[in-house]
């Protein structure tokens, strides 16, 4: 079965990227992986994904929030659905995520099933209500 | 009554004298050449009648006596009552020097020796000798006790037993033959109270002056009343406190705000961001206005103004306290907690996520085993982080005393650690050079832990089969004998920015391998070395390797002693 849509996971944690890959196994999404923001930008330019899962604290100059702002301020990229996937779970962190233009925010640890719902466009779980904070 | 009898007696004496006088005159006239008996008789009768009338007039007080105050019976009764009930010692002496009226307190003050006089003060500059009195008792009192007398109205006498007496003296008329009024006030109690009050106020002033917080009080109009040393020093550049010009605290506050705004512009931060917190607390008429703000030179200051209704003479008190350290600790603590929480969330995300997938999706047996391995590893990592976290906080909370010191040769210490870590070091070539063995006083278990952390970093960040070099030698530092340990690896090394963060909790040089290490190893090592009064330094070049240099005093207590000396 060929996957119709593209999803990019940007996270420096290998196990977590693997977890997302397993989660998406039976979905409509083909998975692309990046370890940092620079790698992510190259992949975005190449494949223009439908959804991006974005960690905040990553090695490199640019963090997840910077990348999110960049995507949302770019006319060609701003349609991409950006879901923050971060261990930063304070109210202020969620606010920063919203201000950066993120469409959803999941706090680690999160439920892969809820994440799948969110990826599929179900907004009911978007703002960390279902996360274990 | 006594006085009446005395005067009656006096009257009788006068008459007896008159009769003797009359008989003498009669005898004189009997032998006189005048021989006019009738005229002589009338002259005698006239003189007799005149003397009788004068005596009667004197007896009933019609005749004005020499002394205006010589009392008649009614005044005498009133006066004696008044004197008796007078609350202090009082005496009235006549011009002849005899005491006419006095009470018990007067006698006590005059004749009871209260001790040696240690101080006498008078209000009046004009010298006046109390010895002018002709009263014998008073004279003896003054001669006996009082050495300096220069007052007219008031004399203050301090006795060595603590008694304080104020003596008031007044001549009742300007005439030399005037009566004298003497009043003794016992001011001992008043003086005690005043002394205590004075001491208290002195104590309060001294406390206020020496309090480490910068404090000042101001009146209802905002004019500074009192400033303490810390306050004047802190704001010496803003206001010249030495001059006696009146400075308003509102003017002061404005100037202070200007300085803070200037500083914010200099540091390119928003002024409102410089205000860390601002709140008011009301408590029974008092208002506390608390403001925490960022001041120049990276300090955080807490400014408190107390507007008081309860201290009526005061507008309020303003104080400043440097809370930079407190603020720094709080910031560090919350940063540490948030980083720790973040570090714990990452392995938890994996454990939680994989478990949920296992429950909800079907996988092949191989895949299941793979997933379970990940869960197992992540759980192990979680436990490692927790252990290291506990270690770090335990060590941070630990005082010097709780280290278990014992003496061990540095060779034995390192050899033991190397032997224990043989499996970890198996794939590296370890070179151990020791330039003279020496006995070291240390907590062996803790130092062992520190060295394991350093060695495991060396292994982690260098290629297999590369060399790890350990060089040990004696080194005197700041006149304190000690030993230096150098652990050098020839691995990838660190950049300058990586080096600067190496001692921060949870910092890890990114290597893509996230399963090993918690980022707490070096911070824990640093804590252990510092507890031994030692020092740890890192030097590194990217691509060439890293050297960890540890210096330890042979006697951990010696540094402290040196500082004390």
């Amino acid at each position: 079965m060929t996957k119709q849509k593209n999803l990019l996971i940007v996270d420096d944690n290998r196990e977590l990227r693997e977890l997302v890959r397993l989660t998406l196994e039976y979905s409509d999404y083909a998975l692309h992986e990046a370890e940092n923001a620079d790698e992510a930008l190259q992949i975005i330019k190449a494949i223009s994904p439908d959804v991006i899962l974005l960690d905040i604290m990553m090695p490199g100059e640019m963090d997840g929030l910077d990348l999110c702002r960049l995507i949302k301020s770019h006319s060609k990229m701003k349609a991409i659905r950006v879901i923050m996937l971060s261990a930063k779970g304070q109210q202020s962190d969620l606010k920063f995520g919203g201000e950066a233009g993120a469409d959803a925010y999941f706090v680690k640890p999160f439920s892969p099933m809820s994440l799948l719902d969110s990826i599929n466009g179900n907004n009911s779980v978007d703002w960390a209500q279902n996360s274990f904070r | 009554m006594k006085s009446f009898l005395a005067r009656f007696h006096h009257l009788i004496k006068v008459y007896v004298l008159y009769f003797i006088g009359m008989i003498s005159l009669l005898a004189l006239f009997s032998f006189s050449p005048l021989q006019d008996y009738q005229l002589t008789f009338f002259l005698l009768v006239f003189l007799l009648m005149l003397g009788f009338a004068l005596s009667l007039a004197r007896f009933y007080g019609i005749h004005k006596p020499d002394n205006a105050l010589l009392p008649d019976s009614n005044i005498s009764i009133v006066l004696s009552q008044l004197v008796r009930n007078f609350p202090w010692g009082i005496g009235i002496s006549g011009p002849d020097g005899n005491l006419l009226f006095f009470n018990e307190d007067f006698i006590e003050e005059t004749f009871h020796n209260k001790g040696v006089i240690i101080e006498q003060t008078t209000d009046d500059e004009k010298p006046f000798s109390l010895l002018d009195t002709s009263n014998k008792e008073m004279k003896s009192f003054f001669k006996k006790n009082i050495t300096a007398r220069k007052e007219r109205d008031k004399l203050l006498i301090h006795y060595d037993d603590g008694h304080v007496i104020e003596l008031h003296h007044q001549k009742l008329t300007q005439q030399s033959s005037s009566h004298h009024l003497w009043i003794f006030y016992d001011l001992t109690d008043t003086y005690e109270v005043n002394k205590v009050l004075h001491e208290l106020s002195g104590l309060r002033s001294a406390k206020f002056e020496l309090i480490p917080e910068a404090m000042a009080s101001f009146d209802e109009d905002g004019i500074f009343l009192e400033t303490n040393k810390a306050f004047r020093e802190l704001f010496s550049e803003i206001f010249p406190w030495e001059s006696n010009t009146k400075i308003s605290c509102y003017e002061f506050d404005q100037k202070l705000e200007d300085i803070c705004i200037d500083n914010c512009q200099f540091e390119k931060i928003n002024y409102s961001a410089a205000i860390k917190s601002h709140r008011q607390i009301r408590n029974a008429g008092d208002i506390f206005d608390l403001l925490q703000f960022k001041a120049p030179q990276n300090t955080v200051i807490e400014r408190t103004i107390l507007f008081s209704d309860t201290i009526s003479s005061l507008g309020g008190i303003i104080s400043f306290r440097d809370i930079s350290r407190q603020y720094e600790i709080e910031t560090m603590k919350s940063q540490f907690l948030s980083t720790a929480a973040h570090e714990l969330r990452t392995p938890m995300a994996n454990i939680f996520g994989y478990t949920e997938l296992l429950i909800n999706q079907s996988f092949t047996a191989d895949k299941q085993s793979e997933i379970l391995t990940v869960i197992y590893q992540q759980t192990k990592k979680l436990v490692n982080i927790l252990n290291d976290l506990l270690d770090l906080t335990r060590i941070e909370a630990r005082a010097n005393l709780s280290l278990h010191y014992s003496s061990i040769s540095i060779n034995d210490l390192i050899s033991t650690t190397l032997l224990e870590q043989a499996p970890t070091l198996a794939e590296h070539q370890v070179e151990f050079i020791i330039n003279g063995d020496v006995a070291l006083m240390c907590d062996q278990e803790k130092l062992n832990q520190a060295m394991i952390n350093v060695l495991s970093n060396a292994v982690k960040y260098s290629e297999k089969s590369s060399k790890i070099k350990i060089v040990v030698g004696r080194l005197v530092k700041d006149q304190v004998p000690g030993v230096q340990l150098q652990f050098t690896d020839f691995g990838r090394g660190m950049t300058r920015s990586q080096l600067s963060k190496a001692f921060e909790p949870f910092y890890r040089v990114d290597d893509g391998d996230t399963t090993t290490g918690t980022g707490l190893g070096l911070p824990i090592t640093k804590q252990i070395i510092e507890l031994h009064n030692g020092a740890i330094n890192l030097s590194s070049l990217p691509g060439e390797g890293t050297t960890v240099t540890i210096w330890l005093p042979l006697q951990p207590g010696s540094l402290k002693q040196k500082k004390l000396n």
Side-chain angles (χ1 to χ4, degrees):
Chain A
M1 177 177 90
T2 48
K3 305 260 182 178
Q4 302 293 311
K5 298 172 186 172
N6 287 314
L7 183 142
L8 172 65
I9 164 97
V10 190
D11 200 309
D12 59 336
N13 186 295
R14 186 164 49 81
E15 286 78 10
L16 197 107
R17 296 199 301 270
E18 179 65 15
L19 173 68
V20 172
R21 201 182 63 73
L22 288 176
T23 308
L24 294 176
E25 202 160 287
Y26 304 106
S27 76
D28 217 7
Y29 289 88
L31 184 76
H32 304 267
E33 297 177 29
E35 277 189 34
N36 55 51
D38 291 335
E39 264 183 53
L41 272 177
Q42 286 173 11
I43 296 171
I44 293 166
K45 275 174 196 160
I47 59 157
S48 179
D50 302 279
V51 178
I52 298 177
L53 303 182
L54 201 49
D55 186 16
I56 290 179
M57 286 166 86
M58 289 183 296
E61 292 291 302
M62 211 191 280
D63 71 8
L65 289 175
D66 294 331
L67 183 59
C68 182
R69 272 189 285 269
L70 188 75
I71 292 165
K72 289 298 178 181
S73 63
H74 202 283
S75 59
K76 280 183 186 169
M77 296 193 282
K78 71 178 171 193
I80 302 173
R81 183 171 169 79
V82 176
I83 300 170
M84 305 305 294
L85 212 57
S86 172
K88 295 181 105 175
Q90 290 185 356
Q91 281 303 316
S92 55
D93 297 320
L94 301 188
K95 200 173 132 240
F96 292 145
E99 281 165 4
D103 297 283
Y105 196 115
F106 277 74
V107 178
K108 294 174 184 175
F110 58 90
S111 155
M113 296 302 136
S114 302
L115 179 68
L116 198 59
D117 275 353
S118 180
I119 290 168
N120 288 328
N122 179 354
N123 283 331
S124 65
V125 291
D126 281 355
W127 285 95
Q129 298 95 325
N130 218 19
S131 293
F132 291 79
R133 292 194 299 121
Chain B
M1 199 63 197
K2 204 175 175 182
S3 167
F4 176 80
L5 282 174
R7 276 184 292 159
F8 187 71
H9 183 73
H10 182 76
L11 194 66
I12 300 298
K13 273 201 293 190
V14 171
Y15 287 150
V16 169
L17 280 172
Y18 267 116
F19 274 109
I20 294 169
M22 286 306 130
I23 289 161
S24 309
L25 274 172
L26 203 60
L28 196 67
F29 279 115
S30 321
F31 301 104
S32 75
L34 203 60
Q35 297 293 324
D36 189 349
Y37 293 106
Q38 210 171 11
L39 181 65
T40 307
F41 180 76
F42 277 111
L43 195 63
L44 280 174
V45 169
F46 173 73
L47 283 171
L48 193 67
M49 294 300 284
L50 185 68
F52 189 67
L54 277 173
S55 305
L56 273 180
R58 181 162 182 170
F59 183 76
Y60 286 106
I62 295 164
H63 174 71
K64 194 173 177 239
D66 294 344
N67 299 310
L69 211 104
L70 238 178
D72 83 353
S73 61
N74 287 329
I75 296 176
S76 159
I77 291 164
V78 170
L79 263 179
S80 66
Q81 285 291 329
L82 208 102
V83 163
R84 196 174 303 138
N85 295 319
F86 201 69
W88 296 288
I90 190 170
I92 298 167
S93 62
D96 57 352
N98 288 316
L99 278 169
L100 297 174
F101 301 97
F102 50 85
N103 60 4
E104 278 179 30
D105 285 347
F106 182 87
I107 297 296
E108 196 183 317
E109 299 296 354
T110 317
F111 301 108
H112 288 210
N113 196 352
K114 295 216 176 267
V116 180
I117 295 160
I118 51 173
E119 193 190 346
Q120 289 176 46
T121 46
T122 62
D123 278 359
D124 205 332
E125 291 294 311
K126 198 164 64 182
F128 178 87
S129 174
L130 289 176
L131 272 174
D132 284 0
T133 176
S134 49
N135 180 277
K136 287 172 206 154
E137 288 85 357
M138 295 307 287
K139 259 188 176 166
S140 89
F141 169 72
F142 291 130
K143 267 184 183 161
K144 189 163 120 197
N145 288 322
I146 300 174
T147 51
R149 12 195 126 75
K150 42 186 293 206
E151 62 86 57
R152 195 183 75 82
D153 288 320
K154 211 156 68 175
L155 183 65
L156 197 64
I157 308 161
H158 287 254
Y159 291 96
D160 66 348
D161 67 348
H163 269 87
V164 182
I165 303 245
E166 195 175 80
L167 172 62
H168 285 248
H169 165 251
Q170 203 170 345
K171 272 170 117 182
L172 291 181
T173 64
Q174 290 302 316
Q175 296 161 12
S176 60
S177 60
S178 167
H179 284 66
H180 295 260
L181 175 71
W182 312 87
I183 301 174
F184 288 97
Y185 293 109
D186 189 342
L187 294 180
T188 312
D189 290 347
T190 319
Y191 260 76
E192 284 298 314
V193 171
N194 278 343
K195 210 165 107 187
V196 171
L197 281 178
H198 185 74
E199 276 169 8
L200 275 178
S201 107
L203 204 65
R204 196 195 66 86
S205 297
K207 263 188 186 166
F208 182 77
E209 180 70 8
L210 295 176
I211 214 160
E213 282 175 36
M215 279 186 104
S217 59
F218 52 86
D219 65 12
E220 286 165 343
D221 299 324
I223 302 294
F224 280 116
L225 297 172
E226 233 182 328
T227 54
N228 73 353
K229 192 162 171 272
F231 193 88
R232 291 188 300 273
E233 278 175 3
L234 188 61
F235 301 112
S236 59
E237 284 174 21
I238 305 182
F239 284 113
W241 297 105
E242 296 308 319
S243 69
N244 288 325
T245 48
K246 284 186 174 178
I247 296 161
S248 147
C249 72
Y250 302 115
E251 191 188 336
F252 169 80
D253 205 41
Q254 186 57 51
K255 207 152 183 173
L256 204 64
E257 195 177 341
D258 290 347
I259 288 169
C260 287
I261 291 171
D262 280 354
N263 181 58
C264 289
Q265 280 167 352
F266 178 72
E267 290 188 0
K268 289 178 181 153
I269 54 169
N270 189 353
Y271 178 60
S272 62
I275 307 291
K276 304 283 186 192
S277 79
H278 190 193
R279 63 205 161 97
Q280 280 198 346
I281 304 164
R282 281 161 198 275
N283 183 15
D286 294 340
I287 303 170
F288 289 89
D289 187 290
L290 285 145
L291 177 72
Q292 294 184 349
F293 63 94
K294 198 177 171 304
Q297 286 155 8
N298 276 328
T299 49
V300 180
I301 302 286
E302 184 179 73
R303 191 271 279 133
T304 311
I305 303 181
L306 162 64
F307 295 102
S308 182
D309 275 357
T310 46
I311 319 166
S312 57
S313 61
L314 216 63
I317 291 171
I318 186 166
S319 81
F320 291 86
R321 197 155 60 99
D322 187 343
I323 53 162
S324 312
R325 182 74 192 132
Q326 193 184 323
Y327 207 81
E328 194 186 331
I329 289 170
E330 269 170 28
T331 315
M332 270 168 61
K333 209 188 273 172
S334 72
Q335 257 172 13
F336 180 82
L337 272 178
S338 110
T339 319
H342 179 264
E343 291 300 312
L344 290 171
R345 278 176 189 280
T346 307
M348 265 191 220
N350 288 323
I351 296 166
F352 185 83
Y354 280 105
T355 318
E356 195 181 278
L357 279 187
L358 272 184
I359 295 166
N360 289 294
Q361 287 184 22
S362 52
F363 295 98
T364 62
D366 282 356
K367 195 72 205 173
Q368 274 182 20
S369 156
E370 205 181 291
I371 290 172
L372 282 172
T373 309
V374 174
I375 292 172
Y376 175 73
Q377 280 173 350
Q378 294 294 311
T379 312
K380 222 163 91 176
K381 187 181 174 181
L382 200 61
V383 174
N384 282 343
I385 294 176
L386 278 176
N387 284 340
D388 279 2
L389 261 179
L390 285 176
D391 265 358
L392 187 66
T393 47
R394 244 202 317 264
I395 293 167
E396 275 181 346
R398 176 173 286 193
N400 242 358
L401 291 171
S402 53
L403 285 181
H404 301 293
Y405 287 115
S406 61
S407 182
I408 186 172
S409 89
I410 189 74
N411 186 27
D412 287 355
L413 183 76
I414 293 171
S415 300
T416 315
T417 308
L418 289 177
L419 204 67
E420 273 177 28
Q421 293 299 301
T424 320
L425 299 164
E427 286 169 330
H428 285 74
Q429 299 172 15
V430 178
E431 191 184 349
F432 176 30
I433 303 162
I434 180 158
N435 303 315
D437 198 6
V438 66
L440 179 72
M441 210 52 186
C442 65
D443 186 319
Q444 291 177 33
E445 200 186 314
K446 291 279 162 247
L447 274 192
N448 189 31
Q449 191 188 348
M451 282 189 291
I452 289 172
N453 288 343
V454 172
L455 285 170
S456 77
N457 276 343
V459 169
K460 214 182 296 172
Y461 296 108
S462 66
E463 297 301 314
K464 282 174 186 172
S465 81
S466 70
K467 197 164 79 172
I468 293 173
K469 196 172 164 187
I470 305 166
V471 181
V472 176
R474 296 187 67 154
L475 181 73
V476 177
K477 201 174 176 181
D478 294 334
Q479 298 172 333
V480 180
V483 60
Q484 180 172 280
L485 298 78
Q486 278 187 314
F487 300 84
T488 307
D489 71 63
F490 298 89
R492 72 184 73 166
M494 283 184 278
T495 64
R496 191 180 283 253
S497 76
Q498 286 170 337
L499 202 60
S500 68
K501 290 178 186 165
F503 287 116
E504 283 178 19
F506 299 114
Y507 179 76
R508 279 198 306 261
V509 174
D510 168 55
D511 59 350
D513 177 12
T514 50
T515 52
T516 57
T518 59
L520 293 171
L522 268 185
I524 290 173
T525 304
K526 188 169 189 262
Q527 291 286 348
I528 292 170
I529 301 301
E530 283 175 357
L531 272 182
H532 281 83
N533 285 330
I536 181 167
N537 288 303
L538 293 179
S539 64
S540 186
L541 279 174
E544 290 187 17
T546 304
T547 299
V548 181
T549 307
I550 293 170
W551 178 83
L552 291 164
L554 296 182
Q555 298 285 336
S558 56
L559 254 188
K560 239 185 180 175
Q561 277 167 10
K562 188 173 168 281
K563 273 178 192 163
L564 277 177
N565 290 339

